[in-house]
Amino acid sequence: MKHIAILRQPFFDMVLAGEKTIESRWGMNKGAPYGKISVGDEILLKETGKDVTAIAKAKRVEFFQLTPEKVEEIRVKYGKAIGTDKFEDWQSTLQKKYCTLIWLEDVKKVEPLKVPRSNGAGWIVLKGE
């Protein structure tokens, strides 16, 4: 399956530079990519407000139902690879109920690819892929 991940700065550049190797998605609901992404899926990477300019593959995927203790465990165990030092407010994740961690591999720049607007969604599962 294919996905579009919309990333804001500095996270987009961190993924391309190999500094951020785990993409994390935190939510109050089980929204995509929670339960919708699998190992080997292709992820089109798009910086907020721009075209898709990179792709990656999901090397490993884990889904979590969160407690404040689990959030802290994720932060300690995977924080550097997620880029937690760049979070403005790590505390806000304590309110979330679900988390998806996606280990990225084969990150490559691609020629700009136009995709439909996400209308505020941070993750899109492409239908029929």
Side-chain angles (χ1 to χ4, degrees):
M1 192 173 304
K2 284 188 183 181
H3 307 261
I4 300 172
I6 295 92
L7 293 99
R8 58 189 169 88
Q9 287 295 359
F11 303 108
F12 185 84
D13 287 346
M14 289 172 67
V15 167
L16 290 181
E19 298 168 37
K20 177 176 167 55
T21 57
I22 300 174
E23 177 57 20
S24 65
R25 295 296 166 128
W26 307 79
M28 295 301 289
N29 306 311
K30 292 181 181 179
Y34 191 96
K36 307 232 185 297
I37 188 165
S38 301
V39 170
D41 283 3
E42 185 175 74
I43 306 161
L44 305 174
L45 303 172
K46 177 184 176 321
E47 186 180 344
T48 304
K50 298 187 178 177
D51 295 335
V52 168
T53 55
I55 60 168
K57 287 221 183 285
K59 177 181 180 179
R60 175 176 160 196
V61 176
E62 288 195 31
F63 306 105
F64 300 92
Q65 290 193 13
L66 298 173
T67 61
E69 296 78 22
K70 181 55 79 176
V71 170
E72 181 63 10
E73 180 185 324
I74 291 168
R75 186 186 69 78
V76 169
K77 193 170 183 181
Y78 304 117
K80 183 154 177 49
I82 293 171
T84 58
D85 56 326
K86 305 291 190 212
F87 279 19
E88 293 86 25
D89 182 15
W90 179 255
Q91 290 296 103
S92 69
T93 59
L94 294 173
Q95 320 310 307
K96 306 299 183 184
K97 294 184 178 175
Y98 301 97
C99 174
T100 303
L101 295 184
I102 305 153
W103 281 255
L104 303 172
E105 68 178 354
D106 298 333
V107 177
K108 299 179 202 119
K109 285 189 167 189
V110 296
E111 290 296 316
L113 171 67
K114 290 209 176 299
V115 293
R117 289 182 51 89
S118 67
N119 295 321
W123 194 276
I124 300 166
V125 178
L126 294 175
K127 303 282 184 230
E129 295 291 331

